[in-house]
Amino acid sequence: MKVSGIHAFEWQRLAGLLMLCSLVSSATVSTYLSADDKSQLITLFSSAAPYKDVITAYWSLRGLATLNSLPKDSSSVCQSLKSLPAESAEAIFCANEAAELVNCKLTATAVQTEALNAALTSKKVGSLYHAFLAMQRLKLKVDATQVNAALDEALKADDAPTSLGYSFLLAKALNMDLDKRHSLIEDVYAQADVVDGKYMQFEGGIYTTSLVVEGSYALAAAAKKAPTLKPDQVMQLANYLLSRRHVSKVRSASQMLAALTTLSSNKFFVPVAISLDKPGSTVGAKNKKIAVRVGTVNGESIGKVTLTADSGRHVADDAIVLSKEPLQVTSDPSVFELDFTTIKAPFGFYEVQITATPAKPDAKLVGLKGSIKFKVVTEITIDSVQLGVGEKDVIAPQTTKVVYPNKAKKLDADVHQKLYMSFYIKSAATSVAMKAHQVFVRMTHKVTGQEIAYVSTPDDGTKQYKFELNVGAKEKEFGSLSGVYEMALLVGDAIIQNPIEWTVAEVELSFTGQPSEESADSQYKPKPTIEHMFREPEKRPAAIVSNVFTILCIAPFVIMLLMWLKLGINVSNFPMSLSALGFHIGLTAIFFLYYLYWTQLNMFQTIQYLAMIGIPTFLCGNQLLSSIASKK
């Protein structure tokens, strides 16, 4: 006898395998879609109205329908859908699906029918999906076999995750070749990226990932076969979807919500979220219990379960503080409490491993082992405070005891002395000395408000904090500003419930130098503009030196001309050709250009003119030399 198309024995074997996988799954889900998250999504979807296009209207209404928050006045929405244009296959699909959500009837125009028929011949899977489902909704005649064949051709052209996601939904609607399409589920998840072993996503982001999740589960349900997924992958997909639950785009948010709803209610793999009931919950003197929620990623119950804290460790030193501790169920069957009244847990950060055990074994539940992280906080007090002023060369100056939170008597210190303070930070509940992450001593001038802070560090062994201020050595940091300073101790840490800002005493500091004219906030004011100064040119020689040098340079040329006149110039062999004239004229021009460079042109201007003169001079000179060589 068959059960839903699969032998009962096969179902039992599958159930056993899934239970085993749920126990060894390493990825866990530690958050869920809370009531606040759903409220934010409702606000996002509602803000899209009044609708300006049918696509936004569809995604908004679909999201509101998933959260059971559709607008009560559907007539105005219906009128809006009828008035908005819908010309593409996607727009027609969205308009009719949105109309269905608000019980509104739309009819197809001739133009829309033509557009849908044209989309059925497209090689884009998304267009095929939108056109086929729109025609089904409008009760138009469509050949499913032809659409199935077109889907095969479209997937040959594009088998990206988005296309495969649409193909899964279309295959379910066609109810054809379900086994063939189901085999592609493993292929599409092989294209996904895994980040930090915790998140699985596709290149298209939240929309594509959500579409593939919804499509693959829908196809698996139609084919009556579990999607080809490992439990770890299911948990990684859930983690990624939940990490993007605050997405601000209506389309992506609505598709993400649909995917989370699919993961929360299906027959194959339902990821279990084990998390703190309220993020940021802490254990302290006034609250000895930590609330843990177990349920689906949508925050829904998974039925009757028991929770056990397998182990709890102090993160700082790996000390185990609890083992096999049962959690107590509250009035909400999905919320359990871990009681720390009898558990000796020192302050700090903790990680507790938790196992959820359903009252009735359910093969589809995966991720029944999880962990929660929280902190045990404490109130603190300042103890054994010693404060004093002594000579700077003295190792242990004389001090007086100050009781927190009282203020000590006024102290005086000059450049030959040092200010000294030591103290312990202790837990108010246990009186155990502890270290804090942030411990500062702040000095604030009472008149100007100028302040300077110093870090106080503890002794590693005794955990005693010490602070020493060598007044003379720190004079520059104070800007030589003498006067009365308010000395305050600041203590803070993530595990401290009552951060401290305690005015310990007033100290009058006396410096020898003159105070700086800059105010305390001068470091935040704009600095003077830096103007670049070129190096000043070297001093030129006297004019008579330059003139004598110029005459000496010109003298050889003048002497040559005089000798030519005396001896006579033979120009009979001068070639009267264009190349000869061009070369000599160009050469003369180059010499003149050098003169201009010396007197008035800069380098860039000279290079520009030299290129203009040099090229024809080179060509003419080459031609002249060639003609002379040929004559010889």
Side-chain angles (χ1 to χ4, degrees):
M1 180 179 178
K2 289 186 177 182
V3 180
S4 301
I6 300 180
H7 289 291
F9 173 73
E10 293 177 343
W11 268 111
Q12 292 172 1
R13 185 172 62 180
L14 176 61
L17 177 62
L18 292 179
M19 282 295 292
L20 177 63
C21 290
S22 69
L23 293 177
V24 301
S25 174
S26 59
T28 61
V29 177
S30 57
T31 186
Y32 66 100
L33 196 68
S34 66
D36 288 341
D37 296 328
K38 292 176 183 178
S39 178
Q40 289 181 13
L41 288 172
I42 291 173
T43 301
L44 173 65
F45 297 140
S46 300
S47 66
Y51 303 117
K52 297 180 180 178
D53 61 87
V54 292
I55 295 177
T56 301
Y58 164 65
W59 289 112
S60 169
L61 292 170
R62 184 186 181 188
L64 290 171
T66 306
L67 296 170
N68 298 317
S69 299
L70 281 171
K72 295 180 180 179
D73 181 16
S74 60
S75 59
S76 60
V77 178
C78 183
Q79 283 299 117
S80 177
L81 292 173
K82 289 180 178 179
S83 63
L84 291 171
E87 299 175 355
S88 66
E90 182 183 7
I92 299 169
F93 163 81
C94 290
N96 285 275
E97 291 299 314
E100 183 68 18
L101 292 172
V102 293
N103 297 318
C104 178
K105 294 208 177 216
L106 299 181
T107 56
T109 64
V111 174
Q112 290 178 333
T113 303
E114 184 180 352
L116 292 174
N117 285 320
L120 291 178
T121 62
S122 171
K123 288 194 175 182
K124 293 183 178 180
V125 182
S127 297
L128 291 173
Y129 166 73
H130 291 129
F132 180 76
L133 266 72
M135 295 183 79
Q136 272 195 329
R137 181 69 69 190
L138 291 166
K139 297 186 170 139
L140 299 176
K141 186 177 180 181
V142 58
D143 188 343
T145 304
Q146 183 181 354
V147 175
N148 192 47
L151 177 58
D152 286 330
E153 293 301 316
L155 286 175
K156 290 179 183 178
D158 182 11
D159 62 350
T162 304
S163 296
L164 287 171
Y166 281 125
S167 74
F168 298 153
L169 293 172
L170 180 55
K172 177 193 174 184
L174 291 168
N175 199 26
M176 291 182 176
D177 292 338
L178 295 180
D179 290 341
K180 176 182 175 181
R181 306 298 180 202
H182 186 278
S183 65
L184 297 176
I185 293 178
E186 185 176 6
D187 296 338
V188 70
Y189 283 111
Q191 300 182 45
D193 299 320
V194 178
V195 181
D196 296 334
K198 187 176 180 181
Y199 306 100
M200 176 177 278
Q201 66 184 75
F202 290 96
E203 188 176 348
I206 183 63
Y207 179 80
T208 299
T209 305
S210 302
L211 177 66
V212 171
V213 170
E214 182 189 15
S216 60
Y217 271 84
L219 176 58
K224 297 180 181 178
K225 289 183 181 179
T228 317
L229 278 168
K230 298 177 182 178
D232 267 4
Q233 292 177 311
V234 177
M235 306 298 281
Q236 290 164 353
L237 287 167
N239 277 327
Y240 174 70
L241 294 174
L242 288 168
S243 72
R244 299 298 308 277
R245 63 187 181 276
H246 300 304
V247 64
S248 59
K249 292 184 178 179
V250 172
R251 177 173 177 255
S252 298
S254 184
Q255 185 62 68
M256 176 270 298
L257 185 59
L260 286 175
T261 303
T262 298
L263 289 178
S264 296
S265 55
N266 66 85
K267 297 179 180 179
F268 307 109
F269 302 103
V270 175
V272 176
I274 299 176
S275 63
L276 293 174
D277 184 39
K278 295 180 180 178
S281 298
T282 60
V283 174
K286 298 178 181 178
N287 177 36
K288 291 291 186 179
K289 295 180 180 180
I290 196 81
V292 180
R293 174 177 287 275
V294 59
T296 68
V297 292
N298 256 7
E300 298 165 356
S301 173
I302 59 172
K304 189 175 181 180
V305 295
T306 58
L307 259 61
T308 303
D310 297 326
S311 66
R313 70 180 184 92
H314 189 232
V315 175
D317 55 11
D318 281 334
I320 303 299
V321 298
L322 62 89
S323 178
K324 300 298 180 183
E325 187 78 22
L327 279 73
Q328 303 302 315
V329 67
T330 64
S331 57
D332 184 342
S334 296
V335 179
F336 296 75
E337 287 182 339
L338 180 59
D339 194 346
F340 275 78
T341 303
T342 59
I343 299 173
K344 293 183 178 180
F347 45 82
F349 291 89
Y350 287 84
E351 182 175 10
V352 177
Q353 303 295 328
I354 294 178
T355 297
T357 306
K360 294 181 180 179
D362 193 342
K364 68 184 180 183
L365 298 178
V366 295
L368 292 172
K369 281 184 174 289
S371 65
I372 57 171
K373 295 179 180 179
F374 59 94
K375 59 187 178 182
V376 175
V377 297
T378 182
E379 292 188 353
I380 63 167
T381 186
I382 309 299
D383 193 30
S384 303
V385 183
Q386 296 291 329
L387 179 67
V389 174
E391 297 300 318
K392 62 182 179 181
D393 296 330
V394 177
I395 298 177
Q398 185 177 359
T399 59
T400 57
K401 185 177 181 180
V402 183
V403 179
Y404 171 79
N406 299 328
K407 186 176 179 181
K409 294 180 179 180
K410 183 180 176 183
L411 301 175
D412 297 289
D414 57 30
V415 293
H416 303 293
Q417 295 174 311
K418 67 179 179 181
L419 181 64
Y420 174 86
M421 182 173 66
S422 65
F423 57 93
Y424 288 92
I425 300 173
K426 292 185 177 181
S427 169
T430 62
S431 296
V432 175
M434 59 179 286
K435 294 180 181 179
H437 186 257
Q438 296 178 330
V439 182
F440 300 100
V441 176
R442 184 184 65 199
M443 306 293 291
T444 306
H445 196 277
K446 292 200 69 174
V447 176
T448 66
Q450 179 176 331
E451 63 180 40
I452 183 169
Y454 295 96
V455 178
S456 180
T457 55
D459 181 90
D460 290 333
T462 63
K463 297 182 182 178
Q464 183 187 40
Y465 281 84
K466 293 181 180 180
F467 168 71
E468 288 187 2
L469 177 65
N470 188 326
V471 179
K474 301 296 183 180
E475 180 173 355
K476 186 176 180 181
E477 295 179 4
F478 282 86
S480 299
L481 182 61
S482 301
V484 178
Y485 284 81
E486 195 174 72
M487 179 181 178
L489 177 63
L490 287 74
V491 181
D493 197 290
I495 61 172
I496 292 177
Q497 280 185 298
N498 59 326
I500 288 176
E501 183 179 3
W502 171 36
T503 301
V504 183
E506 290 184 354
V507 183
E508 184 166 359
L509 300 180
S510 301
F511 299 105
T512 57
Q514 292 298 319
S516 172
E517 294 182 358
E518 295 184 355
S519 61
D521 60 346
S522 62
Q523 59 179 320
Y524 304 112
K525 294 181 178 178
K527 301 299 180 184
T529 303
I530 300 175
E531 296 182 359
H532 180 71
M533 297 291 293
F534 288 96
R535 183 169 62 91
E536 293 185 4
E538 297 181 0
K539 191 175 181 180
R540 290 178 176 272
I544 188 170
V545 175
S546 300
N547 293 336
V548 170
F549 178 76
T550 302
I551 293 171
L552 290 176
C553 289
I554 296 174
F557 182 71
V558 174
I559 293 172
M560 181 188 71
L561 294 177
L562 293 174
M563 294 297 292
W564 278 358
L565 291 174
K566 185 176 181 181
L567 299 174
I569 302 174
N570 183 10
V571 293
S572 60
N573 287 330
F574 185 83
M576 300 299 293
S577 63
L578 184 61
S579 59
L581 291 173
F583 172 72
H584 287 85
I585 293 172
L587 191 62
T588 304
I590 290 173
F591 287 136
F592 182 69
L593 179 62
Y594 286 162
Y595 168 75
L596 294 177
Y597 172 63
W598 179 262
T599 57
Q600 61 188 57
L601 298 180
N602 59 40
M603 182 178 66
F604 298 104
Q605 292 172 320
T606 304
I607 291 175
Q608 182 180 357
Y609 291 129
L610 183 61
M612 297 169 58
I613 300 172
I615 293 174
T617 302
F618 169 77
L619 296 175
C620 291
N622 184 64
Q623 182 66 28
L624 177 61
L625 291 175
S626 298
S627 62
I628 292 174
S630 62
K631 289 180 181 180
K632 292 183 178 180

